[in-house]
Amino acid sequence: MNASCLTIKELTDAVGGGLTPRMVRHYHQLGLLPQAVRSPSNYRLYTKKDVLRLQRIVALKQQGFQLNHIRNILEVEPEADTTVNLMGQLQQQYRAVMQQISQLRQTASALEGLLGRDRHCQIIQAEVLAQLKLLDVETQAGLGGLENLWSGLDAEIHTHSEAFTESLQRLLPDLSHRSEIEQHLISQLVLACGDVSLVSFVKLSRDAIAASRGALSASCQIVVDTQTVSAALDQTRLSHLGCQIETLIDNPHITTATEAELAFWQHREWRSKLLQVNQGCVLVVGYAPSVLVEVCEAIANQKIQPALVIGMPIGFSHAPAAKRQLMQQGIPFITVEGTLGGGALAATALNALVESLIDKPDCHCYLKNIVDSAEC
């Protein structure tokens, strides 16, 4: 046996990422990984080249690529025709995934229509569940019956206002491992966009809550990227805390991510303005990805020292990249991974922090995360 070769168990240990011998054998069958040479005892033997290829496969799989496209990505030659063909395949994959998301969204909406009902609707909710079991959808009358069931549920909305908190308790995933303030923050973000799936994309550093409460209690400066974000902030509570709001792109006519992104690139004075923010400020970016990129660069070069960055710009390539950069800066942050975001979410995040501070100034539930992190 070649001393430089690895057994399948040693291979999976070297690659990591949850890789198992069974998955390796599956990759052999799919042609993702070349067949291994065999030892005299018929054991599979792997080289450093195999380790590198498997690491690439695992990394691409973790990013969401399908196995058949991973094979194409790893084998594509840097020729124009091949690259164009691969991009077309990836575009097809994207459309298929979006169709699946649309179908799942319909399923989620149907479940939310039942589970999201408050106690005032529970009686009719039980009736609907009972009738769904007996529903005959093979006839036109059956389909009409289904519509009547939903109409019966919908009729209840005229009898009382919606109980958001009660609905969220039925729909949100288990958040018991998070502090009370984090739970409130996440709940407010979900309510701001109406999408419970947002929970899995919300990311905040362990010290984000503590940093926000310290800065806000010290009447810190609040710096936002556009006036649209500023208008969505809780001006009354911030004034009560003594916090002044500063807008980087100070133009009331700029109201969209597209306009904010272009304006920030065209006007150097707004970049210079960013470098003049107060130490210990809270930065809130809800629209322009380039603003968050510039923030990360300024932090990395020690030109600014914010207490917290709420980074939730919108975008399909720059925004996800800027958020990844933010999470690597080693400063307190709150963000929403991927393309999700917007001024309403960014403002909601800050408003939730401000509300928690004023309503529960002596709450220390969030400190457990910091202690656990230090002990680790």
Side-chain angles (χ1 to χ4, degrees):
M1 181 183 295
N2 190 330
S4 64
C5 290
L6 305 174
T7 64
I8 193 169
K9 180 63 170 62
E10 292 170 335
L11 173 72
T12 56
D13 290 342
V15 174
L19 187 69
T20 65
R22 182 178 179 180
M23 293 168 66
V24 174
R25 290 190 286 269
H26 182 56
Y27 294 159
H28 282 309
Q29 294 174 351
L30 295 178
L32 267 170
L33 188 67
Q35 291 297 329
V37 298
R38 297 276 183 167
S39 70
S41 303
N42 204 34
Y43 287 104
R44 289 185 175 91
L45 299 178
Y46 298 91
T47 65
K48 291 181 178 180
K49 185 177 180 181
D50 294 321
V51 173
L52 179 59
R53 186 174 180 88
L54 271 171
Q55 287 174 333
R56 290 171 176 166
I57 292 171
V58 170
L60 289 169
K61 190 169 181 290
Q62 289 175 341
Q63 289 297 314
F65 288 99
Q66 294 181 0
L67 293 178
N68 60 322
H69 292 121
I70 291 176
R71 180 174 57 247
N72 293 334
I73 290 172
L74 294 179
E75 295 176 357
V76 68
E77 298 293 334
E79 299 171 356
D81 292 343
T82 308
T83 302
V84 169
N85 183 52
L86 175 60
M87 293 302 293
Q89 293 179 22
L90 294 179
Q91 191 172 40
Q92 288 181 350
Q93 178 190 346
Y94 175 75
R95 289 170 178 167
V97 169
M98 292 306 296
Q99 185 175 10
Q100 292 172 357
I101 290 175
S102 177
Q103 293 170 347
L104 289 171
R105 182 64 258 176
Q106 289 180 329
T107 301
S109 295
L111 292 171
E112 288 164 354
L114 290 173
L115 297 174
R117 304 286 168 164
D118 53 41
R119 66 180 182 276
H120 297 285
C121 300
Q122 285 179 359
I123 295 177
I124 193 168
Q125 180 188 60
E127 293 176 357
V128 169
L129 287 172
Q131 292 180 56
L132 283 175
K133 296 178 182 179
L134 306 174
L135 189 64
D136 179 10
V137 296
E138 294 182 357
T139 66
Q140 189 64 36
L143 291 174
L146 181 60
E147 293 179 359
N148 289 335
L149 290 179
W150 288 114
S151 296
L153 273 175
D154 293 342
E156 288 297 307
I157 67 175
H158 299 288
T159 63
H160 60 279
S161 60
E162 182 161 352
F164 289 105
T165 302
E166 191 174 335
S167 296
L168 280 178
Q169 288 175 347
R170 294 172 177 267
L171 298 173
L172 285 175
D174 181 19
L175 299 176
S176 59
H177 62 290
R178 295 181 178 269
S179 71
E180 182 181 344
I181 295 176
E182 288 182 57
Q183 292 180 35
H184 174 68
L185 168 66
I186 292 171
S187 297
Q188 294 304 109
L189 289 172
V190 169
L191 286 174
C193 66
D195 187 353
V196 179
S197 68
L198 181 77
V199 173
S200 60
F201 297 97
V202 177
K203 304 296 178 184
L204 62 161
S205 60
R206 288 185 178 273
D207 54 349
I209 301 299
S212 70
R213 291 172 76 87
L216 292 169
S217 297
S219 303
C220 69
Q221 179 189 42
I222 307 296
V223 182
V224 301
D225 57 343
T226 69
Q227 288 194 5
T228 305
V229 175
S230 176
L233 294 179
D234 191 334
Q235 309 268 351
T236 302
R237 283 193 171 105
L238 285 171
S239 178
H240 172 74
L241 292 172
C243 298
Q244 299 295 319
I245 302 172
E246 184 72 33
T247 305
L248 287 176
I249 305 175
D250 196 12
N251 183 335
H253 300 293
I254 295 175
T255 58
T256 67
T258 303
E259 293 169 340
E261 181 75 353
L262 184 61
F264 191 71
W265 272 100
Q266 289 180 337
H267 300 278
R268 185 168 296 276
E269 67 268 22
W270 288 331
R271 295 190 177 195
S272 300
K273 192 175 180 179
L274 173 62
L275 300 179
Q276 298 170 11
V277 300
N278 296 343
Q279 181 176 341
C281 69
V282 172
L283 280 163
V284 185
V285 182
Y287 282 95
S290 291
V291 172
L292 186 55
V293 171
E294 198 78 10
V295 166
C296 292
E297 184 176 346
I299 293 171
N301 294 329
Q302 299 182 339
K303 293 182 178 179
I304 62 173
Q305 292 181 306
L308 172 73
V309 177
I310 298 176
M312 301 182 184
I314 302 172
F316 300 101
S317 59
H318 288 48
K323 294 169 183 177
R324 287 192 291 269
Q325 288 182 25
L326 172 62
M327 290 187 282
Q328 296 168 0
Q329 293 302 314
I331 64 164
F333 68 83
I334 301 175
T335 189
V336 178
E337 283 186 313
T339 62
L340 300 173
L345 283 179
T348 296
L350 182 61
N351 288 342
L353 295 172
V354 171
E355 180 185 357
S356 294
L357 175 61
I358 292 178
D359 291 350
K360 298 182 179 180
D362 299 320
C363 179
H364 298 100
C365 60
Y366 57 92
L367 294 177
K368 185 178 184 300
N369 282 345
I370 300 175
V371 173
D372 290 346
S373 178
E375 290 176 349
C376 296

